[in-house]
Amino acid sequence: MARKTRQKLGEILVELKLITKEQAEKAAEAAKSSRKRIGETLIEMAICGEEHVAKALGKQFGLEYLNLDRPEDRNKVSMTAIPQDVMKKYFVLGYAGEGPKKRLVIHDPLDLDAFDVLRFRVGAEPFAIASLTQIKSLIDGGGSAAAALGPKTLVTSSIDASVDRGSSVDRGASLDQGEKEAKIEQGVVKLVDRLIINAVQGRASDIHIEPRKENVIVRYRVDGECVVIGDVPKKMQGSLLARVKLMAGVNISEKRIPQDGRIKMVVDGTAIDFRVSSCPAVHGESIVLRILRPDSANTALTSLGLESDSLDQFNRIIRRPNGIFLVTGPTGSGKTTTLYAALQTLNKPGVKIITAEDPVEYQFKGINQCQVREHIGLTFNAILKSMLRQAPNVILVGEIRDREVADIAIQAALTGHLVFSTLHTNDAPSSVTRLIDMGVKPFLVASSIQAVLGQRLVRCLHSCKVHNPNPDPKFMKLVGLTQADADSGQIMGPGTCTECIGGYRGRRAIFEMMMMNQEIRDLAFQRSGVSKIRAAAIRGGMRTLVGDGRLKILKGITTPEEVAKLAQVDSVDA
C-alpha cells in the first residue's frame, strides 16, 4: 500500500488563511536557497508568527495544538509529569491526563533523535505541540507564556537537537567524530544567525556572549536593561566564539588581546551593521555585538525629545559660524544620535562637513567621514590636522580623549570652524573642569565653547501604563515632586502586557543645555569648581537633567524611579 503523502506546511498555512499562496511560494524559495526549514523561514521573514507555524505543524503531524497563553490550554500541561532536567534540556512539557503512557507537549515534530531518548528515559510519546517561546516561558517561570520577555529565546530553535546531545548520548557510535563535528558546526551557524535575528526583531541594542565556568550565557540589552535569554553548553563555546569572530573578520586564533570587527547582515530586508568587540576573560573571550540600525541615525532634531525652549537654543547654536558644541554623558546615552541629528540638519550642498570617528558607526551622503586607524598612525590628531587644510565649515570629532585632540579642536573653533564633539563627563558643567584638567588653558576653554548638552536615556512607559496614586515617596522627593502631583493624577506607572518588558518600551533622552555666558566664562578662567559653574548655569536658565526628567514624568512619559536612577541627583531642588 502506498504511504499517504504528508501535506506541506505552506499549504496548511494557506488553508488556515494565515498566509497567502504567494507568501508560501516566496518562503519556500527562500528556505531552499538558505537550506532552512520553511517554518523557520516564515518566522524570519515575519510572514507569520511562531504560534501560527506551531498550529500548522500540529495539523501536519496529527498533534493537538496548544496556545499556552490561554488558561484552558495551559491547564492541559503538567509541570511534574516528567523530570525538570528533561524539560529544560529538550524543551518539552508533560501532557496532563490519565493514559497508559506518558504524553509530551513538544515544539519540533521532526526532532526524532530527541524522541528516541525521551521514549527510553521517561517512556513518553509526542501528543501535543506548542511554540518554543511559550514552552520555554513556562519552564523558566512556571507561569503564563505571555509573560515571556520581549526578545525570543534562542538555543533549541537554532541548533539541531543532535548538537547538544551529540556528546552526551551514546547511540552505538552511529556518527563518527567528523560527522559529529560537522553537525556541531552547522548548529553553531544556525545558532548565531538566530541570535542575531532575534536580537534585531526584539529591539535589542547589544548582544552579550559571556563564557562562564559551566556554560556560556547570552544576554540582550533592551531599552538599556540586560536580559538573560538563554545559555549555550560549555562544549560549544569554542565553536560559538570562533563563528562570531570569523563573521566579524578578526583573527579567530588570537585569544590573548582584545579585537574589534564588524558584521554586515540583512535582517527582514534591512541591511544591519554590527560592531563586534572581543575581550579576554577568565573563562574565555567575552564578545559584545553592538547593533547599528540605519533608522537610529536618521533622527530629526524634533524627535530627540528636547523641550521647545531647549530645541530653540539647540537650533541657534548649531547655526553659529564657529565655536565648540559639546555633548556629554556616559557610554550608550545617545550622544552620537544627537550629533548626527545636528549634522543632518546642517548637511546641505553649500556646507562642507568632515568627521573624525572611531569607529564610523553610520554613513551619510554628503558628509566626508574619516575612520580612525591607530595601527597605521591615522589618529584623531592626524585627521584633525588634515581636516583644517580641507577648508570645512563644520567638523565633528567623535570624542575628545586627550589634550592634543582638545587643543586642535579649540584652535579649529577659534579660526572660524563650527566643531561638534563628545566628552565623557557626568553632566554639562563638568565638561569645563574636565577640559582644564586635561591641560587645556582656561582662557581657551572659556572663549571657544558655545554650549554643552548633557543627556541620559530613560525608559519610556508603554501604552499599557496606569495611574500611580501612591508612588514611592523616596523617588518623588529625589526628583522634586510631591504627593500633590500624584493626587492630581499626573504620575503614571508601568502596566502589564505582552508587548513590553516590565511596563516599559523604548527610551527617551533627558537633557540639560548649558549655554556659555560671561559669568560661566569668568568662572572657567578662574578655575572654579563644578558646583559654582553649575549654580551659575542654573542662574543662566539651564534646566537640569532632573528638571527635564520631572517634566517628562508629569507628561506620563516615564517614572520617578527612572529619572532618579539615571540623572545626577544632587538635591531635591535640582
Side-chain angles (χ1 to χ4, degrees):
M1 181 182 294
R3 188 171 62 180
K4 184 179 178 181
T5 302
R6 183 179 287 129
Q7 192 176 11
K8 293 181 179 179
L9 184 68
E11 294 174 353
I12 296 172
L13 287 164
V14 172
E15 280 185 6
L16 295 173
K17 296 183 178 179
L18 296 173
I19 64 173
T20 65
K21 186 177 179 181
E22 291 75 19
Q23 288 174 324
E25 291 172 351
K26 182 180 178 182
E29 290 178 7
K32 185 177 180 180
S33 62
S34 62
R35 297 184 179 180
K36 295 180 179 179
R37 297 181 189 173
I38 187 171
E40 183 181 359
T41 304
L42 284 164
I43 295 170
E44 288 180 4
M45 296 175 69
I47 293 175
C48 63
E50 192 179 357
E51 286 72 31
H52 294 154
V53 172
K55 185 175 184 179
L57 284 170
K59 184 173 181 181
Q60 187 181 33
F61 287 88
L63 301 170
E64 180 183 354
Y65 167 67
L66 300 181
N67 181 349
L68 300 181
D69 282 340
R70 296 197 302 238
E72 59 270 26
D73 283 359
R74 222 165 33 247
N75 291 336
K76 296 180 181 180
V77 170
S78 169
M79 302 298 291
T80 58
I82 58 176
Q84 286 285 325
D85 65 316
V86 173
M87 287 196 296
K88 290 181 178 179
K89 184 170 185 178
Y90 300 110
F91 292 101
V92 294
L93 302 169
Y95 188 90
E98 299 295 328
K101 283 189 175 183
K102 291 181 180 178
R103 295 174 291 182
L104 297 173
V105 181
I106 65 168
H107 69 276
D108 184 359
L110 294 173
D111 195 353
L112 304 180
D113 290 339
F115 303 151
D116 286 341
V117 176
L118 291 166
R119 288 188 190 100
F120 175 77
R121 182 167 177 185
V122 296
E125 293 281 352
F127 182 80
I129 188 170
S131 72
L132 172 64
T133 298
Q134 292 183 347
I135 290 175
K136 191 173 188 304
S137 177
L138 283 181
I139 292 172
D140 290 344
S144 168
L149 296 172
K152 298 176 183 177
T153 52
L154 67 149
V155 179
T156 54
S157 65
S158 308
I159 309 177
D160 288 334
S162 57
V163 171
D164 185 33
R165 294 183 291 278
S167 59
S168 60
V169 178
D170 184 3
R171 294 191 293 274
S174 58
L175 293 176
D176 62 24
Q177 190 62 30
E179 290 176 313
K180 287 181 180 178
E181 291 177 358
K183 275 195 169 287
I184 289 176
E185 293 301 324
Q186 292 171 6
V188 168
V189 171
K190 292 177 68 177
L191 168 60
V192 174
D193 287 349
R194 173 51 55 191
L195 259 177
I196 291 173
I197 291 168
N198 282 356
V200 174
Q201 293 175 342
R203 302 183 303 104
S205 60
D206 304 89
I207 304 170
H208 297 258
I209 303 173
E210 302 169 344
R212 305 288 173 87
K213 185 176 181 180
E214 303 84 9
N215 54 16
V216 181
I217 298 296
V218 179
R219 300 194 290 174
Y220 289 165
R221 187 178 294 278
V222 183
D223 296 337
E225 301 286 325
C226 274
V227 181
V228 177
I229 60 161
D231 60 83
V232 178
K234 188 70 175 178
K235 60 179 172 287
M236 293 178 62
Q237 175 177 313
S239 298
L240 174 62
L241 299 182
R243 173 61 182 170
V244 176
K245 290 168 70 176
L246 182 67
M247 293 174 70
V250 301
N251 186 351
I252 63 173
S253 62
E254 180 57 75
K255 303 176 183 178
R256 301 165 299 171
I257 60 175
Q259 297 188 81
D260 295 303
R262 290 183 85 106
I263 296 173
K264 292 183 181 290
M265 186 170 173
V266 177
V267 179
D268 294 337
T270 302
I272 308 285
D273 277 1
F274 301 84
R275 196 172 77 201
V276 183
S277 171
S278 71
C279 180
V282 174
H283 300 297
E285 292 173 283
S286 172
I287 293 183
V288 177
L289 290 80
R290 169 68 60 88
I291 302 172
L292 306 175
R293 294 176 172 82
D295 55 348
S296 298
N298 294 320
T299 303
L301 281 181
T302 53
S303 302
L304 291 175
L306 287 159
E307 298 297 324
S308 58
D309 55 346
S310 297
L311 182 59
D312 289 341
Q313 291 176 329
F314 194 108
N315 273 305
R316 288 199 301 272
I317 287 294
I318 66 174
R319 286 172 171 80
R320 290 188 179 180
N322 62 284
I324 293 180
F325 179 76
L326 290 176
V327 180
T328 72
T331 301
S333 60
K335 300 187 297 296
T336 301
T337 299
T338 299
L339 288 178
Y340 280 161
L343 290 187
Q344 287 189 90
T345 301
L346 300 174
N347 187 15
K348 298 175 182 177
V351 178
K352 178 156 184 172
I353 303 173
I354 304 181
T355 74
E357 303 173 65
D358 184 20
V360 174
E361 294 189 354
Y362 302 98
Q363 297 179 19
F364 299 95
K365 292 181 179 179
I367 297 179
N368 303 280
Q369 296 173 270
C370 302
Q371 167 76 54
V372 171
R373 291 184 174 86
E374 299 274 358
H375 62 285
I376 62 171
L378 191 60
T379 62
F380 272 120
N381 309 338
I383 294 173
L384 278 171
K385 290 175 181 176
S386 175
M387 275 184 182
L388 298 179
R389 294 191 290 269
Q390 297 276 317
N393 301 103
V394 179
I395 294 172
L396 167 67
V397 183
E399 180 185 349
I400 294 179
R401 298 178 178 176
D402 53 42
R403 177 181 173 178
E404 188 173 1
V405 174
D407 281 339
I408 298 172
I410 287 172
Q411 289 302 321
L414 294 175
T415 54
H417 303 87
L418 180 61
V419 180
F420 295 100
S421 191
T422 68
L423 198 63
H424 285 281
T425 62
N426 287 329
D427 54 20
S430 299
S431 60
V432 174
T433 57
R434 176 80 178 100
L435 289 171
I436 294 173
D437 289 342
M438 280 184 182
V440 180
K441 291 180 173 56
F443 78 89
L444 291 176
V445 174
S447 57
S448 62
I449 294 178
Q450 299 295 325
V452 183
L453 181 72
Q455 66 180 72
R456 296 287 191 281
L457 291 176
V458 297
R459 291 186 297 168
C460 295
L461 289 167
H462 189 238
S463 56
C464 63
K465 61 187 176 183
V466 295
H467 287 285
N468 185 1
N470 298 302
D472 191 319
K474 175 180 68 177
F475 294 117
M476 292 286 284
K477 184 178 180 181
L478 285 172
V479 298
L481 293 172
T482 65
Q483 186 59 40
D485 295 307
D487 294 339
S488 68
Q490 291 180 282
I491 309 300
M492 306 297 288
T496 55
C497 73
T498 60
E499 297 179 2
C500 62
I501 300 177
Y504 295 91
R505 186 178 176 90
R507 289 189 291 175
R508 181 75 65 86
I510 56 174
F511 300 94
E512 58 181 17
M513 175 77 80
M514 185 181 79
M515 303 289 291
M516 293 293 283
N517 56 33
Q518 192 56 50
E519 183 182 6
I520 297 174
R521 288 191 169 94
D522 289 342
L523 290 171
F525 187 73
Q526 298 164 15
R527 297 177 181 264
S528 298
V530 175
S531 59
K532 289 186 177 180
I533 295 174
R534 168 172 281 276
I538 292 173
R539 286 194 295 273
M542 182 184 80
R543 183 187 303 110
T544 65
L545 289 170
V546 175
D548 196 51
R550 186 161 55 235
L551 293 178
K552 290 177 171 60
I553 293 168
L554 295 175
K555 290 180 179 179
I557 295 171
T558 189
T559 61
E561 291 87 344
E562 277 294 299
V563 174
K565 179 174 69 174
L566 292 166
Q568 193 76 10
V569 178
D570 291 327
S571 70
V572 297
D573 298 323

